[in-house]
Amino acid sequence: MNDSATTTARQRPEPASATETARLLPPGFELGVAMASYQIEGAVHEGGRSPSIWDTFSHTPGAVARGETGDVACDHYHRYREDVALMAELGVDAYRLSVAWPRIQPDGTGPVNRTGADFYSRLVDELLGAGITPLVTLYHWDLPQALEDAGGWPLRDTALRFADYAVAVQELLGDRVGRWITLNEPYCSAVLGYGTGRHAPGVRDAGRSLAAAHHLLLGHGMAVQAMRQRDPGGAYGITLNLEPVSALTDREEDRAAARRSLTLSNLLFTDPVLAGTYPEDASRLWSTVSDFAFLRDGDLETTAAELDFLGVNYYFPARVRAVPHREPDPALRSIEDLGVATPLLAEDEVTEMGWPVEADGLRRVVVWLHETYPALPPVLVTENGRACADVVVDGVVDDQERIRYVDAHLRALGAAVEAGVDVRGYFSWTLLDNFEWAEGYARRFGLVHVDFASQQRLPKASFSWYQALLAARAAPA
Ligand code: FCB
């Protein structure tokens, strides 16, 4: 080792070793990786797949950084065997994948497209052959464009279409897949998709955003009920992105802003799903943009369909400061940011996404769930990870910040379990660098580096660290 390498190694803060962290996890704790169809598959015109809202949106000038699209992505559609082999080498218990609705039902309804179905069938067989348990997400944002053209999630009928699609996928894969996540992050689909317009389909309309949120949760509940009826032995859940919310200061306006933020980012989703209620202050907050006519008798019983687990995605905390609203359209004020902001603090470590790193936020958010909802089912952390400015030097990506991030978040989960929260597993976001939505390919979250020109995969230092953790802990029953 030369002098400069020694200095770098000395300056690097030591992460707790993988072995020590593995000891903090309860026996049987599940460890996996997560990815999502549009972010990795590519092959958007193959196998009878129709366009999704993300194909349309990413091809809209100005929508995605540098005009990038998921047309090729990681070419996982053709390279899935290589990618499953990487997961096997890593040693994960489980892989959280998502099924692209437009591969299964190109029009969003009607008969199943066999070629699309076969892809997922082969993928599931490959996983099982490698000893990896599939955890299938039915909707990770790629709505068939045909359904958007008919009205999208603001339309009640889309919830019914989703429940039909869910059962169709269960009929295809249910002999080999026993665990299902209906939706990934309905907050993003509703608020970013139909409110701020930052995500597909790029609509900016507060009222439609609220209707979309409701119909997403209604579709979730209908799907759980229908799938459970078909297979009572299956395990059913939903994945929500949740934030531990606090006011930045004790000032009354900051505390009021934090309360509004909590309603929009968490309660609008957790109350209907975990308590069968609607947040108390919703109608007051949004009376100018919605009459809530979408909320019908019996809906909240459906949205609160019994769950076997709750998926939680966590990236960063919300610490809220009231700010004057800047959106020129006053109707959007109520959804755009509710007049709030999460400022960065001078001492923050910040990821390539501009997100502050706060591992303890993961402990706080699952403790909040545990204390707020008596009916909380077991929790799975279905996504967590960070974007780094990864560079390949002499064939190596030495992503120590990612190692520290994963390590710290796992230790925070260990503390949550210690405090009595029933957390059963953790899925790293993500295996491969991939298409990071509106940010395109420049935001790398993978344990494996992808050279998008050659499609070459190169495991990073974090891959070896996660591998060591997996090898060190007690394997699940
Ligand atoms: C989440 C998404 C996931 C990924 C991460 C970074 O909101 O569910 O697809 O993009 O953020």
Side-chain angles (χ1 to χ4, degrees), residues 283-347:
S283 53
R284 185 179 47 77
L285 278 175
W286 292 307
S287 60
T288 56
V289 293
S290 179
D291 58 7
F292 294 86
F294 50 75
L295 191 54
R296 300 200 190 154
D297 282 354
D299 280 4
L300 291 171
E301 277 146 49
T302 306
T303 60
E306 187 198 342
L307 297 183
D308 301 288
F309 63 92
L310 177 72
V312 173
N313 291 355
Y314 171 76
Y315 290 92
F316 61 94
R319 40 193 185 212
V320 180
R321 180 178 68 188
V323 292
H325 183 68
R326 291 177 309 272
E327 169 61 49
D329 175 356
L332 274 175
R333 168 175 186 164
S334 57
I335 208 87
E336 169 90 304
D337 58 11
L338 284 164
V340 302
T342 296
L344 293 176
L345 306 177
E347 65 272 23

Side-chain angles (χ1 to χ4, degrees), residues 39 140-141 184-185 188 313 315 355 383 429 436-437 445:
Q39 295 181 275
H140 200 125
W141 306 353
N184 177 69
E185 302 189 353
C188 294
N313 291 355
Y315 290 92
W355 297 342
E383 280 180 33
W429 183 270
E436 179 47 36
W437 309 113
F445 277 85

Side-chain angles (χ1 to χ4, degrees), residues 170-206:
Q170 191 185 35
E171 276 166 4
L172 292 168
L173 304 177
D175 56 336
R176 288 154 292 157
V177 173
R179 272 190 313 175
W180 305 90
I181 292 172
T182 53
L183 307 175
N184 177 69
E185 302 189 353
Y187 167 91
C188 294
S189 300
V191 177
L192 307 185
Y194 295 91
T196 69
R198 185 80 181 113
H199 278 186
V203 175
R204 292 165 64 76
D205 182 320

Side-chain angles (χ1 to χ4, degrees), residues 94-340:
Y95 169 40
R96 174 177 175 237
L97 65 119
S98 86
V99 172
W101 190 347
R103 287 199 194 281
I104 303 294
Q105 288 178 314
D107 297 327
T109 176
V112 162
N113 165 39
R114 275 284 139 205
T115 322
D118 285 350
F119 168 67
Y120 295 106
S121 191
R122 281 183 276 123
L123 174 57
V124 163
D125 286 344
E126 193 74 14
L127 289 165
L128 294 174
I132 299 167
T133 307
L135 168 58
V136 173
T137 302
L138 291 159
Y139 184 74
H140 200 125
W141 306 353
D142 36 8
L143 186 72
Q145 183 62 43
L147 289 185
E148 178 56 30
D149 295 342
W153 287 111
L155 189 74
R156 191 177 177 92
D157 192 54
T158 305
L160 282 74
R161 300 284 71 77
F162 176 69
D164 288 350
Y165 153 71
V167 168
V169 178
Q170 191 185 35
E171 276 166 4
L172 292 168
L173 304 177
D175 56 336
R176 288 154 292 157
V177 173
R179 272 190 313 175
W180 305 90
I181 292 172
T182 53
L183 307 175
N184 177 69
E185 302 189 353
Y187 167 91
C188 294
S189 300
V191 177
L192 307 185
Y194 295 91
T196 69
R198 185 80 181 113
H199 278 186
V203 175
R204 292 165 64 76
D205 182 320
R208 282 165 75 192
S209 170
L210 292 172
H214 181 66
H215 296 141
L216 280 152
L217 297 184
L218 186 66
H220 149 76
M222 288 174 162
V224 168
Q225 288 172 341
M227 289 195 293
R228 197 185 289 287
Q229 194 175 11
R230 231 195 121 261
D231 178 10
Y236 305 96
I238 183 171
T239 281
L240 303 177
N241 54 310
L242 299 173
E243 294 168 354
V245 181
S246 57
L248 187 65
T249 74
D250 262 351
R251 291 188 317 158
E252 180 45 36
E253 62 257 52
D254 287 346
R255 286 196 282 127
R259 171 71 207 175
R260 296 196 301 274
S261 178
L262 181 75
T263 300
L264 179 64
S265 62
N266 291 7
L267 303 179
L268 190 58
F269 302 89
T270 49
D271 279 0
V273 168
L274 298 172
T277 58
Y278 222 66
E280 301 179 277
D281 51 350
S283 53
R284 185 179 47 77
L285 278 175
W286 292 307
S287 60
T288 56
V289 293
S290 179
D291 58 7
F292 294 86
F294 50 75
L295 191 54
R296 300 200 190 154
D297 282 354
D299 280 4
L300 291 171
E301 277 146 49
T302 306
T303 60
E306 187 198 342
L307 297 183
D308 301 288
F309 63 92
L310 177 72
V312 173
N313 291 355
Y314 171 76
Y315 290 92
F316 61 94
R319 40 193 185 212
V320 180
R321 180 178 68 188
V323 292
H325 183 68
R326 291 177 309 272
E327 169 61 49
D329 175 356
L332 274 175
R333 168 175 186 164
S334 57
I335 208 87
E336 169 90 304
D337 58 11
L338 284 164
V340 302

